[in-house]
Amino acid sequence: MKKLLLLYIFLFSIAGFAQKPASTPKPTVSKALLQTDASKPVREVFDRLVDGIKTADAEKVMSVYDKNDRILFFNNNGTVTMGWETMKSNREASYAKTKNVSLEVTGVRVELLSPTAAYITCKWKQTQEYEGKLESASGRMTLVLKKIGKDWKIVHLHSSPDSPQATRPVFPSERTPE
């Protein structure tokens, strides 16, 4: 009889744990709305960057990056640039020879990782005249942002082309079948 009583107590205690917990009341403001409002300053940094690229304005472009010598840029052409001053010099030299820039960004995704960290991803397609010759390229980009003081700043850029050069090494398993 004692064994049967213990079995019933055991089964009832398990059943109690298996029940669904009481649901918590839903907030009056949706989580999506909160994320959108919180991510707005991050998106504004991105929009300023895009506007600076479209107008070939090196000052505007560089204003969104953290001004430090450790900032790292993985460029679309496979090169790496390190340091804010180096990138600024590169942009100034390049933008002086660039005009009629058209930049289309799609699939922009802003993700807040914490109150002081975020990233942005997108696809981009750009055409421009460089030294009088028409150029075009497209690819994907990831920007890592950090809140420094009151401002969001880009601390890392990684851009990759949609169509890498055939000479660039790619794992056989990642190649598109011909």
Side-chain angles (χ1 to χ4, degrees):
M1 182 75 172
K2 268 186 176 180
K3 288 182 182 178
L4 189 56
L5 182 61
L6 287 174
L7 180 61
Y8 282 126
I9 292 171
F10 177 73
L11 290 174
F12 283 119
S13 65
I14 289 175
F17 285 117
Q19 288 180 350
K20 274 178 123 177
S23 63
T24 56
K26 294 184 178 181
T28 55
V29 178
S30 75
K31 187 175 180 181
L33 180 59
L34 289 173
Q35 288 177 344
T36 302
D37 289 346
S39 65
K40 186 178 178 186
V42 175
R43 178 60 193 247
E44 289 171 352
V45 169
F46 178 76
D47 292 342
R48 182 170 173 80
L49 172 66
V50 169
D51 185 58
I53 293 169
K54 286 179 176 180
T55 58
D57 183 339
E59 290 294 323
K60 185 179 274 188
V61 167
M62 294 310 297
S63 73
V64 300
Y65 290 101
D66 182 26
K67 189 175 183 179
N68 105 32
D69 60 353
R70 292 181 39 92
I71 191 167
L72 186 61
F73 302 85
F74 292 155
N75 303 309
N76 185 48
N77 63 2
T79 63
V80 176
T81 304
M82 187 165 208
W84 187 89
E85 289 292 342
T86 303
M87 182 54 89
K88 183 179 183 216
S89 296
N90 292 350
R91 295 272 169 120
E92 288 172 340
S94 173
Y95 286 178
K97 303 171 188 176
T98 303
K99 60 183 176 180
N100 298 323
V101 178
S102 172
L103 175 61
E104 177 186 345
V105 292
T106 58
V108 178
R109 180 176 170 180
V110 177
E111 290 289 330
L112 292 175
L113 301 174
S114 76
T116 60
Y119 72 89
I120 300 172
T121 58
C122 70
K123 289 183 72 173
W124 56 269
K125 183 176 183 179
Q126 183 172 334
T127 59
Q128 62 189 24
E129 286 181 41
Y130 182 78
E131 293 185 329
K133 296 177 186 168
L134 187 61
E135 298 180 324
S136 67
S138 61
R140 291 166 173 78
M141 179 169 55
T142 301
L143 300 163
V144 179
L145 294 92
K146 180 178 178 181
K147 192 167 189 182
I148 301 171
K150 294 180 181 181
D151 299 321
W152 283 96
K153 294 290 185 175
I154 299 169
V155 295
H156 176 66
L157 159 75
H158 187 133
S159 185
S160 57
D162 274 336
S163 302
Q165 299 168 352
T167 58
R168 193 174 288 171
V170 177
F171 290 115
S173 60
E174 292 182 359
R175 292 189 184 129
T176 305
E178 293 180 24

